[in-house]
């Protein structure tokens, strides 16, 4: 019950984030943010020591993608990892606690329409394969006993009022935060004990950033 109540607060916080993000995004933009403009170092593979990012490639309309994390197609859950996850979830369940994971789809899955067809890195990426493998990964984690909101399904089937991710960095957008909150609320509403949680109504309001 306590875990469900905390998760409900998390969903509410995500919706609040979605309401306030436009102002934050506007404040971060500068006149020099020309779509598609990258410094030469950004195109130098040797400048990227992290295997997670690999290197950055440009898509349409100024979109940026990381060849490592954004263009993954393998989401295998190792047997040892699954056993450890099942053990952790069982221990928490024995203590009366539910375990949930918010597993965010990659930019390549939800923004493949922004790929540049002339880019060899983006042309070789198969979003359908990534989506299939990620869905299997979600099923495996759920079979281990975790609460797993179907964020990918919501992102692909919902009518978004904007892209799930920001165009030029890896953070989710206003729409992404909103869809994630709805997916989380949907998953929690199916859990035992949900109906017993006292309900409250919340309203979002714009404030200044003077605090």
């Amino acid at each position: 019950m306590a875990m469900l109540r905390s998760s409900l607060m998390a969903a509410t916080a995500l919706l609040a984030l979605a309401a306030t993000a436009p102002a934050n995004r506007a404040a971060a933009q500068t006149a020099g943010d020309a779509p598609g403009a990258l410094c030469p170092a950004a195109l130098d593979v040797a400048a990227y020591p992290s295997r997670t990012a690999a290197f950055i490639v440009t898509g349409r309309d100024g979109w940026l993608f990381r060849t490592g994390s954004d263009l993954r197609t393998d989401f295998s859950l190792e047997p040892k990892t699954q056993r450890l996850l099942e053990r952790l979830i069982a221990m928490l369940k024995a203590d009366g606690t539910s375990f949930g994971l918010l597993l965010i789809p990659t930019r390549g899955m939800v923004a493949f329409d922004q790929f540049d067809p002339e880019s060899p890195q983006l042309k070789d990426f198969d979003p359908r394969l990534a989506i299939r493998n990620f869905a299997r990964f979600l099923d495996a984690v759920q079979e281990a006993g975790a609460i797993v909101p179907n964020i990918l399904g919501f992102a692909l089937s919902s009518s978004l009022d904007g892209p799930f991710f920001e165009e030029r960095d890896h953070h989710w957008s206003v729409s992404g935060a909103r869809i994630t909150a709805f997916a989380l609320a949907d998953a929690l509403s199916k859990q035992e004990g949900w109906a017993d949680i006292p309900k409250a109504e919340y309203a979002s309001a714009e404030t200044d950033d003077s605090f």
Side-chain angles (χ1 to χ4, degrees):
M1 181 71 71
M3 177 61 77
L4 281 176
R5 188 174 294 111
S6 297
S7 298
L8 177 60
M9 292 174 63
T12 304
L14 282 173
L15 285 172
L17 174 63
T20 58
N24 294 336
R25 182 181 177 187
Q29 291 178 333
T30 65
D33 286 337
L38 287 177
C39 68
L43 303 176
D44 182 6
V45 178
Y48 296 91
S50 169
R51 294 183 179 180
T52 301
F55 60 96
I56 294 175
V57 294
T58 56
R60 295 174 174 170
D61 301 323
W63 273 79
L64 301 179
F65 296 92
R66 300 164 295 174
T67 58
S69 54
D70 292 336
L71 305 183
R72 290 177 58 192
T73 56
D74 183 9
F75 298 92
S76 302
L77 185 62
E78 297 293 334
K80 180 179 179 180
T81 303
Q82 183 157 1
R83 289 194 300 271
L84 291 173
L85 182 60
E86 290 172 350
R87 181 182 176 187
L88 171 63
I89 293 172
M91 292 173 65
L92 291 171
K93 186 176 182 179
D95 194 42
T97 301
S98 299
F99 179 85
L101 282 174
L102 284 176
L103 298 170
I104 310 301
T106 66
R107 292 164 66 83
M109 293 182 213
V110 297
F112 56 84
D113 57 329
Q114 298 297 334
F115 285 1
D116 180 353
E118 301 301 321
S119 170
Q121 293 88 358
L122 298 178
K123 183 172 62 176
D124 293 338
F125 172 72
D126 185 351
R128 292 170 297 181
L129 176 62
I131 289 171
R132 285 198 304 269
N133 289 343
F134 188 74
R136 293 192 185 104
F137 173 64
L138 297 183
D139 289 341
V141 175
Q142 193 167 26
E143 288 173 5
I147 299 171
V148 184
N150 186 14
I151 301 170
L152 173 62
F154 270 74
L156 294 178
S157 64
S158 298
S159 178
L160 298 177
D161 55 3
F164 189 93
F165 289 103
E166 296 289 353
E167 294 91 337
R168 295 178 66 78
D169 69 43
H170 62 276
H171 296 94
W172 58 24
S173 65
V174 178
S175 297
R178 184 179 297 112
I179 286 298
T180 300
F182 285 139
L184 174 59
D186 177 71
L188 294 177
S189 67
K190 300 173 183 176
Q191 304 306 308
E192 183 179 354
W194 173 267
D196 300 326
I197 298 176
K199 303 301 187 292
E201 293 188 4
Y202 298 89
S204 299
E206 292 188 11
T207 62
D208 58 37
D209 56 1
S210 58
F211 62 89

